[in-house]
Amino acid sequence: MTPLLFLTLCKLKNKLLELLRKPGRLIAALAFLVILVMNFSLYADGLSGQRPLAEFRAIIFAFYILCFATESKKGFHSGGTMFSMADVNMLFMSPLRPSRILFHGMLSRLGSSLFMALAFVYQFTLLRSLYPITAGDMLAAVGGYAAVVFLSQLTGMLIYFYTCGQPEKIRAARVIFCLTGVLFLAVFLTALLKNGYITFSAAVLAFTSSPMKLFPVAGWVLSVLDGIMLGKTSELLAGGIICVAFSFAVFLLIAFSDKGYYEDVLLSAEGGADSKAGEGTPSDVKIKSRSASLKRGSGASVLFYKHMLENKRTRASLFSPSSLVYLVLLGVYGFVFGGDFTLLFFFSCMVSFIPVLSGRWLKELTMPHVYLIPEPPFKKLLYILPELLPKLVTESVLQCALIGYICDLTPPTVISVTASRLSVSFVLVGSALLAARLFREKEKNSVFLSLSVLPGILFTLPSAALCISALNFGFGITVAFALMSAVNLLVALVLVFLSRNILKISE
């Protein structure tokens, strides 16, 4: 048995034992699997939707392209994130080839990326109500996503392996990466404009045309998926052969090269460790602001200005790529469901937990410098939370403005709906804070999501019931959603108050 295989098996065994030692996590995992099986078994023989299958293939292809772009571009700057300081101290000191250690780092990171494939599975019921697909088609789409993740990370690893620490090569690789995207965008526009008119059906057909299937990784996997779903053996073999040949070529290029990357990973890992300890930013982050020190705030208020400064340093934007994806999906759902306001608002509220759990505030609860500030714990907590506010407001305004445009709402109604959607985010913040207070789970993992998101949805039910009752009694949408906002705000304040001593307990 090779050392890396032994290490991988030991890590897997330890994770299983940890699952058995913590009944809460075991129950959550079993419930997760039960819901997953029920999602397929209850609707496997139901009636399928009547919308064109090409739309389903276009949605899957767009998701594959997004996955390839986000995963492969990590090779330009974040190869060190494959390793922790424990890997650096143990693996880099061992007499193993750098290529083998790099493959081990990629495979160890693969599991967390594949976890997102389950999001596809839970959309099976909705997609089956729209498109004529079977459970086998859905599993094939999930398997294609897994293949895209693997090949994309393999592409990113190849980029990182041959460009790390060399700015000229990184710039050249970025240019090639961008030109590839521009080339296929031109192919898509050419196919779309060929008939002289633009419709949604024409865009779908142009997007899934044969030239687009030459798109790296995403197009190849789409060919395999089309071969399975449409019974086209030639496309199945062509896409499969290209994927296998690409994997084999990348393995050869990396395995038989003696390029070193240890120093770059070491600097990245040390920078990440310092950042987690609150002592700086990762070494590969370019500081945008001219000032590297705090000049505003005193006492507990310094925590808020610290967050603003760190967002400047890391060039954090108010609208992330995932937010753009959900905004596009919101527009697609608006077209598919004919402007169903209830469904669009529900979808917008469901995705609001992503910016809530992706902010700095959860990590800040564990930072040592928070406890060195001689201020009351609740006051410090109130200055930690506002870091989320700009992003939550931005997403709520953009998504609700799109809903208002699709559903032809009046400006006062759009304002009321925006406030209501923002209040749902506040409830989710309070739910996540209470979960961190009760379960001491401050890391963004699947267990913490289940401990915070699901109760957060339950906490919004009273306001939703009040809103529906107001609509049934003849009140307008503006008044009904204003009442919903008031109740959600009250619930959020209660949740924050119940978690007021979280810093005191951790200290």
Side-chain angles (χ1 to χ4, degrees), residues 201-263:
S201 300
V204 168
L205 294 177
F207 191 58
T208 56
S209 60
S210 297
M212 291 297 296
K213 292 179 182 179
L214 297 176
F215 193 95
V217 176
W220 309 337
V221 177
L222 179 67
S223 296
V224 176
L225 183 63
D226 283 350
I228 297 174
M229 294 180 60
L230 304 179
K232 297 182 178 180
T233 308
S234 58
E235 290 198 17
L236 174 63
L237 292 177
I241 291 174
I242 294 176
C243 290
V244 173
F246 176 76
S247 303
F248 186 69
V250 173
F251 272 105
L252 290 180
L253 288 173
I254 295 178
F256 292 97
S257 176
D258 293 326
K259 288 181 63 63
Y261 56 91
Y262 285 172
E263 292 184 1

Side-chain angles (χ1 to χ4, degrees), residues 1-286:
M1 182 180 296
T2 61
L4 292 178
L5 179 60
F6 175 76
L7 178 61
T8 302
L9 294 177
C10 284
K11 287 183 177 180
L12 181 61
K13 182 192 70 173
N14 291 336
K15 288 183 178 180
L16 293 176
L17 292 177
E18 184 180 7
L19 189 66
L20 295 176
R21 294 192 190 102
K22 297 183 177 181
R25 294 190 178 186
L26 182 60
I27 293 173
L30 292 177
F32 189 80
L33 291 176
V34 169
I35 296 174
L36 186 64
V37 173
M38 291 178 59
N39 190 40
F40 270 91
S41 60
L42 293 178
Y43 300 96
D45 299 325
L47 296 176
S48 297
Q50 301 300 319
R51 297 193 66 84
L53 186 61
E55 290 183 10
F56 175 77
R57 294 166 48 234
I59 293 173
I60 298 299
F61 187 33
F63 194 81
Y64 286 174
I65 291 177
L66 177 67
C67 174
F68 171 74
T70 54
E71 289 294 330
S72 59
K73 77 172 186 178
K74 292 179 181 178
F76 293 115
H77 55 80
S78 59
T81 58
M82 298 181 189
F83 305 97
S84 63
M85 282 304 298
D87 294 326
V88 171
N89 294 331
M90 181 173 60
L91 294 179
F92 286 9
M93 300 299 294
S94 62
L96 296 173
R97 290 178 61 89
S99 57
R100 293 186 179 182
I101 297 177
L102 192 62
F103 281 121
H104 171 76
M106 187 201 73
L107 293 176
S108 63
R109 194 181 64 173
L110 187 63
S112 59
S113 299
L114 291 179
F115 183 79
M116 290 298 296
L118 296 177
F120 259 143
V121 178
Y122 279 99
Q123 297 297 320
F124 173 67
T125 304
L126 174 62
L127 293 172
R128 185 170 176 78
S129 66
L130 296 173
Y131 304 106
I133 59 174
T134 63
D137 295 334
M138 197 65 194
L139 291 177
V142 173
Y145 170 78
V148 170
V149 170
F150 176 75
L151 294 174
S152 300
Q153 291 193 349
L154 203 62
T155 305
M157 187 171 64
L158 179 66
I159 294 173
Y160 174 72
F161 196 69
Y162 281 94
T163 63
C164 63
Q166 303 180 61
E168 297 81 7
K169 290 187 176 181
I170 292 177
R171 284 193 291 270
R174 285 183 184 274
V175 170
I176 296 174
F177 191 85
C178 295
L179 287 178
T180 302
V182 171
L183 174 63
F184 281 93
L185 178 61
V187 172
F188 166 69
L189 293 177
T190 301
L192 179 61
L193 300 175
K194 182 172 60 176
N195 296 326
Y197 57 91
I198 300 176
T199 62
F200 184 76
S201 300
V204 168
L205 294 177
F207 191 58
T208 56
S209 60
S210 297
M212 291 297 296
K213 292 179 182 179
L214 297 176
F215 193 95
V217 176
W220 309 337
V221 177
L222 179 67
S223 296
V224 176
L225 183 63
D226 283 350
I228 297 174
M229 294 180 60
L230 304 179
K232 297 182 178 180
T233 308
S234 58
E235 290 198 17
L236 174 63
L237 292 177
I241 291 174
I242 294 176
C243 290
V244 173
F246 176 76
S247 303
F248 186 69
V250 173
F251 272 105
L252 290 180
L253 288 173
I254 295 178
F256 292 97
S257 176
D258 293 326
K259 288 181 63 63
Y261 56 91
Y262 285 172
E263 292 184 1
D264 183 73
V265 173
L266 183 60
L267 291 174
S268 179
E270 287 178 344
D274 292 342
S275 177
K276 291 179 180 179
E279 299 174 0
T281 56
S283 59
D284 59 346
V285 174
K286 296 180 180 179

Side-chain angles (χ1 to χ4, degrees), residues 21 47 151 290 312 330 336-337 387:
R21 294 192 190 102
L47 296 176
L151 294 174
R290 297 187 178 184
K312 275 188 176 182
L330 193 64
V336 171
F337 291 100
E387 180 263 334

